[in-house]
Amino acid sequence: MKQKAFTRKNERMDRKMKKKIWTGAILVLLFIAAMGVTASADNPAMKNKKWVTGQGGAYIDTDKDGKKDSYQSYGTSYYKIQIPKQGYIVVDVKTSKIPGKEEYDAYMGEGDGLEEEDDASTILYLLNSKKKKVGSCSNFFSGKNKMVFTAAVKKGTYYISAEGDQQYKIRYTFTPVAKVSKTGKSLKKAVNLKKGATVRNLLYGDKDQYYKFTVKEKTKITLSFNAKVRGGLLDSMGIELLIKKGGSYQQVDEKGKTVSKNNSVYWEMKGKDKLTATLPEGTYYIRAFTWEGMSGYYTMRWK
């Protein structure tokens, strides 16, 4: 568990930076094009828990002199997913170098005695049947060869788009969620959280969820989570604690102290995690949220 607090108030390097910027621009344009993709029978179908493989392009010898001197992009590939009922998916991704990359890097480094650094990357999006992005992951900044993201899904057709300049393996794992717990859509409509009861919910980036509970004396409380909400830069779901003061709601920290209006405090929850706080007597509110473009599933229990 991570608590976050904040206040609102040279030739070689050049070439590398230009390549990064150019690659980033291409990826943005490819995504814009992806949003207009038309479902096609040519889109390979994925099966639950089964890996599919592909690559973003190929390194080629354009002048036939025995040296890989150019990268040819294959554009965006789409993979079709059929979801049978409500639930969530976990998408695992593994990436590796495309054959010929070392030759290409060596060619690009000729004349300065240096080879290009490995800045290849892959970006993936999950699109629903309306072409809306509902999940994503990328190793453009991290350079990692393993990635994961989650998405809350309903019955229907989805697509995973993949693009970049790496080889990749993709697998999704679907878990059905037959029933979800009742939740409030605002602080005023927060639902009671019972001690010892377990909340189970699908969480979407544009729909915060609210709960409330009361302690009759100064009490140390523990909220235990199993948060399957992954992806994006923060790679987690968020939790806030609040208390009503007059006609407004104010955040509180782990000691139950209210936070000034210029400050904000929240906790990041990922996997099996917990939030512990010592709270004075009163009624407290929980805001469960994630960031736009992220979704998933979580359980929460007040111990």
Side-chain angles (χ1 to χ4, degrees):
M1 177 271 292
K2 296 181 181 179
Q3 180 182 342
K4 296 289 185 181
F6 58 90
T7 306
R8 296 189 179 105
K9 316 225 173 198
N10 156 343
E11 169 187 19
R12 176 68 180 164
M13 291 302 296
D14 242 3
R15 187 170 63 191
K16 182 182 177 185
M17 184 57 68
K18 288 177 181 177
K19 184 177 179 182
K20 276 287 189 182
I21 294 172
W22 174 246
T23 304
I26 289 174
L27 294 180
V28 170
L29 291 172
L30 285 171
F31 174 62
I32 293 173
M35 301 307 290
V37 65
T38 301
S40 166
D42 294 334
N43 301 139
M46 295 181 68
K47 294 183 179 181
N48 190 26
K49 301 181 181 181
K50 302 295 184 181
W51 292 96
V52 298
T53 61
Q55 61 188 62
Y59 293 97
I60 59 176
D61 177 5
T62 57
D63 54 10
K64 308 302 180 182
D65 65 351
K67 297 179 180 179
K68 304 289 186 182
D69 56 15
S70 180
Y71 177 72
Q72 178 180 316
S73 173
Y74 292 166
T76 306
S77 297
Y78 297 93
Y79 303 90
K80 185 176 181 180
I81 295 176
Q82 200 67 45
I83 300 299
K85 59 185 70 175
Q86 173 182 271
Y88 67 95
I89 64 171
V90 179
V91 180
D92 294 293
V93 186
K94 298 179 181 180
T95 64
S96 59
K97 295 179 181 179
I98 293 175
K101 178 166 174 55
E102 290 86 355
E103 293 179 57
Y104 173 77
D105 289 348
Y107 175 84
M108 293 297 290
E110 282 184 359
D112 58 14
L114 296 171
E115 292 186 4
E116 287 286 299
E117 293 185 17
D118 186 7
D119 56 0
S121 61
T122 298
I123 186 167
L124 295 98
Y125 295 101
L126 179 69
L127 309 173
N128 64 19
S129 60
K130 295 181 179 180
K131 324 297 189 300
K132 180 182 178 181
K133 182 179 71 173
V134 293
S136 66
C137 68
S138 170
N139 58 359
F140 182 68
F141 294 106
S142 71
K144 295 180 179 180
N145 59 9
K146 290 184 180 180
M147 298 179 282
V148 61
F149 72 91
T150 62
V153 291
K154 299 177 181 179
K155 180 179 179 179
T157 301
Y158 293 80
Y159 298 89
I160 290 180
S161 70
E163 61 225 31
D165 48 3
Q166 291 181 308
Q167 291 186 136
Y168 54 78
K169 294 176 63 177
I170 309 170
R171 175 185 67 184
Y172 80 92
T173 302
F174 169 71
T175 301
V177 179
K179 294 179 64 176
V180 296
S181 303
K182 185 177 179 180
T183 181
K185 295 182 179 180
S186 67
L187 285 164
K188 291 182 179 180
K189 296 181 179 181
V191 301
N192 286 312
L193 176 65
K194 296 180 180 180
K195 191 171 185 179
T198 299
V199 167
R200 296 176 173 84
N201 257 313
L202 295 167
L203 182 64
Y204 299 86
D206 58 347
K207 295 180 181 179
D208 298 349
Q209 299 176 350
Y210 299 89
Y211 309 88
K212 63 181 179 180
F213 63 94
T214 300
V215 293
K216 297 182 178 181
E217 59 184 3
K218 188 174 183 178
T219 304
K220 181 179 181 179
I221 64 103
T222 298
L223 299 176
S224 296
F225 293 83
N226 188 0
K228 299 182 183 297
V229 183
R230 303 288 308 273
L233 295 176
L234 294 173
D235 199 32
S236 63
M237 66 177 287
I239 293 292
E240 289 178 350
L241 290 178
L242 306 97
I243 191 168
K244 191 173 184 179
K245 295 282 187 178
S248 64
Y249 298 86
Q250 291 182 258
Q251 294 178 326
V252 298
D253 61 19
E254 75 280 3
K255 296 181 180 179
K257 295 182 178 180
T258 57
V259 180
S260 70
K261 292 182 179 180
N262 291 328
N263 295 335
S264 182
V265 173
Y266 66 92
W267 288 261
E268 292 180 8
M269 297 291 151
K270 181 165 64 175
K272 292 184 178 181
D273 214 336
K274 64 182 179 181
L275 184 166
T276 300
T278 300
L279 306 175
E281 177 185 355
T283 297
Y284 295 85
Y285 296 78
I286 300 169
R287 174 189 172 223
F289 66 98
T290 189
W291 291 263
E292 187 175 358
M294 291 177 60
S295 63
Y297 171 81
Y298 72 97
T299 66
M300 175 177 65
R301 184 178 183 183
W302 174 20
K303 292 185 177 181

